[in-house]
Amino acid sequence: MARRRLWVLAATALAGLLAVGTADAGTGTGTGSAGGATTTTRTVKVGDDTEAWYQVLPIGICSTPLGCPPPLPLPVPGPDTIYPAGTLHVGAALGVEISRTYLRPALYSLPADATLTDAVATIPIDSDIKAGTIDAGSADIQACLVTAPVTDGVQGSLEDPPAVDCNVKSKVTTTVSGDALTVDLAPLIAAWHAGKPDSGFALVPVLGSLGNLAVWQLALNGRMAGAPHISYEVTYTVPAAPAVTPTSAAPVPVASTAAVGPPQAIPPAVAAVVPPAAPAPVLAEPQPVAQVTSTTGFKYSAVFLMPLAFLFALAFLGRTFTRDATPRGTADGELKRRN
């Protein structure tokens, strides 16, 4: 008995240790891609939805006390006739800004639950001097945050350009081949997340240094037919889909399993309770006129009297047709009269 009690106590202690270990393993959280990841990162390429450029004068025409001048009665050659259609421009002359370009990526093409994390803009350069490019090697450009709405499609307007905030900016670099500008929009994206207006960015010259006294201007490919377009490589995150585990599967209803599987046999106890089907009604068959059996004899024995009755009928008819037809009373009176 003492040995048996020791075995029982040892088994109980082992079961308790296993239960505690199982509970500790179930409450742990994974830190890998299956357990800790809550978002999925994706990268796509999009275009832009806003393109505009302005000519910048040392003193804004509309900012003077006279306000914006009325339109001239005669057409005056402007940038839309000097430069090829669909080009954008940014430049400076002797340390004074003469043109700037406004761009805004088409972020509306991202999923509704996407969170923008990074973007890099690639802006092709039209190096032809007829397009407006002058001394491209001296260009020094920065991308500044736009703080006012921009009208799409503006081509070289002399009106005051939309306001920008160059305290939030990103350096603009030229590719090794020199055929495009690249802009890392990470600082601008951080400002958008912080509540700044998402009106895009502006390419403006970097001014204020003695090295920027040259005269330069870049012509950029906008919505030009047959030319490389402006593109953005956008990185964003979306909520990750929940991992499907075998334990999270919904239980299959018993009714649906019974419907899919083969029909089950009825148990004997249930089959005994089912009442038997009512027998079909039996129609009465016509009885035969005569039926001879070896045990009960002929059912209609009076048929054998028919020949005897027929003989009596013949005798009666013979007697009737051979006897004298004179009435008996008349014959007797006639006989007496003769006597």
Side-chain angles (χ1 to χ4, degrees), residues 123-145:
I123 308 167
I125 300 175
D126 189 342
S127 60
D128 190 354
I129 189 173
K130 296 180 180 179
T133 297
I134 302 174
D135 192 11
S138 299
D140 190 4
I141 305 172
Q142 61 185 351
C144 298
L145 178 70

Side-chain angles (χ1 to χ4, degrees), residues 110-331:
L110 302 183
D113 57 349
T115 300
L116 184 64
T117 59
D118 196 7
V120 176
T122 301
I123 308 167
I125 300 175
D126 189 342
S127 60
D128 190 354
I129 189 173
K130 296 180 180 179
T133 297
I134 302 174
D135 192 11
S138 299
D140 190 4
I141 305 172
Q142 61 185 351
C144 298
L145 178 70
V146 178
T147 58
V150 179
T151 302
D152 182 35
V154 174
Q155 293 288 309
S157 174
L158 290 174
E159 297 180 358
D160 293 340
V164 298
D165 180 8
C166 285
N167 292 322
V168 181
K169 61 185 178 180
S170 180
K171 181 64 177 178
V172 178
T173 59
T174 306
T175 59
V176 176
S177 58
D179 59 350
L181 302 177
T182 58
V183 184
D184 184 5
L185 302 182
L188 307 178
I189 293 174
W192 294 338
H193 289 326
K196 297 291 184 178
D198 182 9
S199 299
F201 61 96
L203 299 177
V204 299
V206 177
L207 306 175
S209 62
L210 296 178
N212 292 330
L213 297 180
V215 177
W216 61 268
Q217 181 171 264
L218 291 184
L220 310 174
N221 290 347
R223 299 187 178 103
M224 297 178 60
H229 295 170
I230 300 171
S231 63
Y232 302 83
E233 188 172 289
V234 177
T235 303
Y236 64 94
T237 60
V238 292
V244 178
T245 57
T247 57
S248 62
V252 179
V254 178
S256 60
T257 304
V260 174
Q264 299 180 357
I266 300 176
V270 178
V273 179
V274 178
V282 180
L283 300 178
E285 298 181 357
Q287 297 294 335
V289 177
Q291 182 176 2
V292 180
T293 58
S294 59
T295 56
T296 58
F298 197 75
K299 186 173 183 181
Y300 301 100
S301 57
V303 177
F304 292 102
L305 298 178
M306 293 296 295
L308 183 59
F310 182 71
L311 292 177
F312 278 108
L314 288 179
F316 176 75
L317 293 176
R319 174 73 177 173
T320 301
F321 288 107
T322 56
R323 65 179 295 184
D324 188 6
T326 303
R328 186 174 181 178
T330 305

Side-chain angles (χ1 to χ4, degrees), residues 48-76:
D48 54 18
D49 65 353
T50 301
E51 293 182 2
W53 76 278
Y54 287 78
Q55 296 185 91
V56 182
L57 301 178
I59 299 176
I61 297 177
C62 296
S63 61
T64 63
L66 298 177
C68 295
L72 297 177
L74 297 177
V76 178

